């Protein structure tokens, strides 16, 4: 028992044993298909990292009533291409948030295909969520800039998410707003609304280009987490990515 207590104290004991009260499990799936170029890839990773360190978001995460928030981050493209970047991690301190942010920026990008497997990414997240069955609330954040064209249809997977009680929200990057023939590529917002999202208060956040990804992720995280947090004054100090 003394060895167990020591391992828990220094953070080396597995999360399933160390964590006794999980209020919200949040998995984030980042689209890295070939249509996401190197610059957009960097904006996506950096946007998520900076959103997690924003004082409002950090305060919301660290003041979750009834327990802590746990996060996992993965990248996806075709139906056989998913890569876990951040395994389930307890966000119970500013240090934990900073470590996640730094790791996001430092990890290499996975090899990608030209396909877009939204349904397969949802199935992958479903498997991740089975590891967090003890959490009071479980949410998948999925970012995407294209229609499903690889693997299972997202609407068929959505039924499994519903049965498991997993909320699915989406951050959609519309890339056809400057297309001279937009009818050739239907808008993504309605598609994700009709085929992907599910659960109580599920929503789609739409942006037009990755330049505003950080601001959108900031809004999205607050919208997902704030209904469960008591009112209070957030800290003003921002953790650094440097």
């Amino acid at each position: 028992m003394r060895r167990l207590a020591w391992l828990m104290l220094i953070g080396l004991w597995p999360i399933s044993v160390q964590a006794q009260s999980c209020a919200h499990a949040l998995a984030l799936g980042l689209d890295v298909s070939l249509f996401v170029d190197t610059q957009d890839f960097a904006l996506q990773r950096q946007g998520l990292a900076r959103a997690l360190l924003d004082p409002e978001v950090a305060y919301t995460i660290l003041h979750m009533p009834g327990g802590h928030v746990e996060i996992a981050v993965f990248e996806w493209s075709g139906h056989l291409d998913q890569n876990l970047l951040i395994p389930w991690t307890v966000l119970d301190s500013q240090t934990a948030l900073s470590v996640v942010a730094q790791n996001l920026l430092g990890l290499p990008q996975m090899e990608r295909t030209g396909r877009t497997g939204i349904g397969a990414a949802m199935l992958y997240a479903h498997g991740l969520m089975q590891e967090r069955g003890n959490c009071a609330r479980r949410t998948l954040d999925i970012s995407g800039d294209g229609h499903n064209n690889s693997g299972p249809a997202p609407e068929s997977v959505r039924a499994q998410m519903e049965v498991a009680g997993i909320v699915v929200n989406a951050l959609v990057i519309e890339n056809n707003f400057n297309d001279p023939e937009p009818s050739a590529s239907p808008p993504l917002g309605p598609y994700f609304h009709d085929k992907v999202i599910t659960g109580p208060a599920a929503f789609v956040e739409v942006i037009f280009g990755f330049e505003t990804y950080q601001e959108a992720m900031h809004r999205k995280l607050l919208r997902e987490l704030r209904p469960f947090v008591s009112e209070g004054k957030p800290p003003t100090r921002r953790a650094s990515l440097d």
Side-chain angles (χ1 to χ4, degrees), residues 15 25-30 70-75 82-89 120-135 138-141 161 164 166:
I15 190 173
L26 184 64
L28 296 109
L30 310 180
E70 298 183 18
I71 191 174
V73 184
F74 67 96
E75 293 174 335
Q82 300 90 33
N83 179 47
L84 185 63
L85 292 175
I86 307 293
W88 286 114
T89 301
M122 293 168 67
L123 276 178
Y124 182 82
H126 184 278
L128 284 177
M129 288 297 184
Q130 299 314 300
E131 303 171 9
R132 302 270 71 81
N134 62 312
C135 295
R138 297 181 294 171
T139 301
L140 166 63
D141 273 326
M161 308 296 273
I166 300 168

Side-chain angles (χ1 to χ4, degrees), residues 59-76:
Y59 179 87
T60 301
I61 290 173
L62 298 178
H63 291 78
M64 184 66 59
H68 56 254
V69 175
E70 298 183 18
I71 191 174
V73 184
F74 67 96
E75 293 174 335
W76 63 274

Side-chain angles (χ1 to χ4, degrees), residues 97-141:
L97 284 166
S98 296
V99 169
V100 168
Q102 294 287 356
N103 286 341
L104 276 171
L105 298 179
L107 291 169
Q109 186 178 10
M110 65 179 280
E111 293 184 10
R112 302 169 294 160
T113 70
R115 311 295 287 174
T116 301
I118 301 171
M122 293 168 67
L123 276 178
Y124 182 82
H126 184 278
L128 284 177
M129 288 297 184
Q130 299 314 300
E131 303 171 9
R132 302 270 71 81
N134 62 312
C135 295
R137 182 175 174 84
R138 297 181 294 171
T139 301
L140 166 63
D141 273 326

Side-chain angles (χ1 to χ4, degrees), residues 1-32:
M1 290 298 293
R2 290 182 178 178
R3 176 176 173 79
L4 172 60
W6 180 77
L7 289 170
M8 291 172 67
L9 179 64
I10 65 174
L12 295 180
W13 193 253
I15 190 173
S16 59
V17 175
Q18 183 180 355
Q20 297 298 319
S21 182
C22 173
H24 201 149
L26 184 64
L28 296 109
L30 310 180
D31 182 356
V32 294

Side-chain angles (χ1 to χ4, degrees), residues 154-209:
E155 60 266 35
S156 66
V157 180
R158 182 170 59 179
Q160 298 184 46
M161 308 296 273
E162 292 170 350
V163 170
I166 300 168
V167 174
V168 180
N169 297 323
L171 199 169
V172 172
I173 304 93
E174 291 277 13
N175 284 323
N176 68 341
F177 60 99
N178 286 323
D179 193 334
E181 297 182 6
S183 59
S185 180
L188 287 174
Y191 175 82
F192 272 75
H193 186 274
D194 295 339
K195 307 291 186 182
V196 177
I197 68 168
T198 187
F203 64 93
V204 177
E205 180 84 27
V206 178
I207 59 176
F208 298 91

